[in-house]
Amino acid sequence: MNTKFTTTRTVSTLTFVLLCAFTGSAFSQSAEYRRGYDQGYRDGAEAQSDQSKPGRISIEEAFYGSRGASCDVKDGIQRAAGWRRQVSIRVNNDLCGDPAPNRN
């Protein structure tokens, strides 16, 4: 009877240890994921604290191209700006392609 108790206890302990080992790996995160999470948290906290303050970027309209050949980039630029109060955006064909191909 004592042997059965010891075997049961050993199996229970082993099961617990294995469960803890697998659970720990499920909670581990990559450094890139953590950086993204932290940046999102900072952006959200800044947006929350600055809601009553003027100066947030709000894009009313944004077009890229030349007369007669342009594309609307308002949504893309607003996403890039997010809730920040300042942002730097490179203006090139990556915004919406070349709206005026074969033109100089």
Side-chain angles (χ1 to χ4, degrees), residues 29-46:
Q29 301 169 346
S30 69
E32 183 179 350
Y33 174 86
R34 188 66 190 172
R35 278 192 304 272
Y37 178 86
D38 290 343
Q39 182 62 48
Y41 181 83
R42 283 190 298 271
D43 289 348
E46 180 182 335

Side-chain angles (χ1 to χ4, degrees), residues 64-66 68-71 93 96-101 103:
Y64 174 68
S66 61
S70 63
C71 58
N93 288 345
C96 62
D98 188 357
R103 288 190 188 174

Side-chain angles (χ1 to χ4, degrees), residues 3-97:
T3 305
K4 184 177 180 183
F5 177 75
T6 305
T7 304
T8 305
R9 188 172 199 169
T10 303
V11 170
S12 297
T13 303
L14 183 59
T15 303
F16 178 74
V17 168
L18 288 173
L19 183 63
C20 289
F22 288 121
T23 304
S25 66
F27 289 113
S28 62
Q29 301 169 346
S30 69
E32 183 179 350
Y33 174 86
R34 188 66 190 172
R35 278 192 304 272
Y37 178 86
D38 290 343
Q39 182 62 48
Y41 181 83
R42 283 190 298 271
D43 289 348
E46 180 182 335
Q48 186 68 27
S49 67
D50 289 343
Q51 280 190 355
S52 62
K53 298 177 186 176
R56 284 190 338 216
I57 297 173
S58 176
I59 308 299
E60 298 297 324
E61 66 178 32
F63 294 95
Y64 174 68
S66 61
R67 283 189 212 138
S70 63
C71 58
D72 186 359
V73 293
K74 176 185 176 228
D75 292 335
I77 292 178
Q78 185 65 65
R79 274 192 304 275
W83 290 97
R84 295 177 184 91
R85 296 175 64 177
Q86 66 181 20
V87 67
S88 178
I89 298 173
R90 183 177 298 246
V91 178
N92 58 27
N93 288 345
D94 292 340
L95 290 171
C96 62

